[in-house]
Amino acid sequence: MQAIKLREDIYWVGVVDWNLRNFHGYTTNRGATYNSYLIMDEKITLIDGVKAPFVEEQLERIKSIIDPAKIDYIVSNHVEMDHSGSLPMLKAACPNAVILTSAPNGLKGLTAHYGDLGYQAVKTGESISIGKRSLQFVGTPMLHWPDNMVTYCPEEKILFSNDAFGQHYASSERVADDAHLPVILAEAKKYYANIIMCYGKQAQGAVEIVSGLELEAIYPSHGVLWSEKHIPTILDAYRTWSNNEPEGGAIVVYDSMWHSTEKMAQAIVEGFTQKGISVKLFDLKENHNSDIMPDLLTSKYIAVGSPTLNNNMLPTVAAFCCYMKGLSPKNRKAFAFGSYGWGGQSIKQVEAELEACGFEICLEAQRIQYIPSKEQLLDLTEKVKAL
Ligand code: FEO
């Protein structure tokens, strides 16, 4: 395993996790990467670790350039274990390295995870010289943990952004290119929707910080790197997503027992379609919650349906509502729907979940007993058209 040269004296020494399909509950259908960067200057510096099981691969790439014992600094931009997991083994291989982490939360977090590995806490605005180059540290707390920071190298005009601007995307290419850009942006959107959506304000702050830097490249810790050509593309995307005010679009999300709630869902889709609103339908038996979130991110309307089972909504719908609520989407219009046999409690329960998300209820909860008639479905379509 060789290091990959990115520019003079700067190497990628990360790993590609080709077969990862679940990242703590988020489906990673295109795998993942844990990027790490080696800067060969007077003070040899490693930016970020990788997930623990991949440490040997990371070390092998480092060894293709330098004896790890010669590393002076390891910058730990983020405590989460997909980046810090290899630190104890790295420290053993790089006994002279000081681990730079954010003050105070990086220091607290790394110490709680690994004990004392020899840390130096750095504050926002602090800069260290590593020879011909310097590294400036900027805290980005709650993007998406309290400890997050990014590292800027002004001499190279590179931002090492860690999770921000990343994607779960395994590839042999290291830099975003035109040919793969639509897929890369789709993965960046999925990453944002599932990891960062609830921290929109912090993401806006990060975009502001980044916009004020002279930049030739952004090197995130997941996925491909952003060259100068594509920096405006990813920054514009983050501006739009973090604004959390979708202009249009709708998603209809449901589960069904005997297809009656499904028929209602299809009638709702028909209503949005006739209204000229782009809409997507998701059956929760077939779609993972994390695969729905990118469309939630850019949809103004959310309709959620469940029949009633044992006085409750279906567990799939409850799980969807729980996952969505945690991500705090804002400024959406929503309504609940469902078929029922006798009690019909589920529909109001779903509506309560939508209210708890802070959504504006734009249509009263739609309930149909047993099997919807053609007339009832037409009526439902008309109600959605009239929204
Ligand atoms: Fe990629 Fe928050 O860790």
Side-chain angles (χ1 to χ4, degrees), residues 233-303:
T233 309
I234 187 64
L235 290 189
D236 282 349
Y238 261 60
R239 273 189 202 100
T240 303
W241 299 333
S242 62
N243 193 28
N244 221 341
E245 283 196 11
E247 288 175 4
I251 56 171
V252 180
V253 181
Y254 72 99
D255 198 352
S256 197
M257 292 164 70
W258 293 103
H259 303 292
S260 291
T261 299
E262 183 174 65
K263 285 178 180 149
M264 293 179 74
Q266 285 164 344
I268 292 165
V269 168
E270 183 64 19
F272 281 121
T273 306
Q274 289 185 21
K275 196 175 162 60
I277 289 180
S278 175
V279 57
K280 285 191 182 172
L281 178 71
F282 295 99
D283 178 351
L284 286 168
K285 280 193 285 296
E286 308 297 337
N287 294 279
H288 193 273
N289 289 332
S290 64
D291 288 323
I292 301 172
M293 294 305 124
D295 287 295
L296 172 73
L297 179 65
T298 43
S299 290
K300 187 75 182 169
Y301 293 97
I302 296 135

Side-chain angles (χ1 to χ4, degrees), residues 23 78 80 82-83 144-145 148 162-163 168 191 195 222:
F23 184 90
H78 180 25
E80 194 165 10
D82 50 332
H83 309 291
H144 62 129
W145 277 25
N148 281 93
N162 196 265
D163 279 344
H168 280 317
Y191 190 90
I195 305 278
H222 293 296

Side-chain angles (χ1 to χ4, degrees), residues 361-374:
I361 301 300
C362 61
L363 181 64
E364 66 177 324
Q366 299 294 299
R367 298 154 44 98
I368 294 177
Q369 192 171 25
Y370 292 119
I371 299 170
S373 67
K374 197 173 170 188

Side-chain angles (χ1 to χ4, degrees), residues 372-384:
S373 67
K374 197 173 170 188
E375 291 70 30
Q376 284 173 314
L377 292 175
L378 282 172
D379 180 56
L380 182 53
T381 296
E382 288 303 316
K383 282 177 177 160
V384 174

Side-chain angles (χ1 to χ4, degrees), residues 178-190:
D178 289 338
H180 299 92
L181 194 61
V183 168
I184 294 163
L185 281 172
E187 289 299 337
K189 183 180 180 185
K190 183 172 180 183

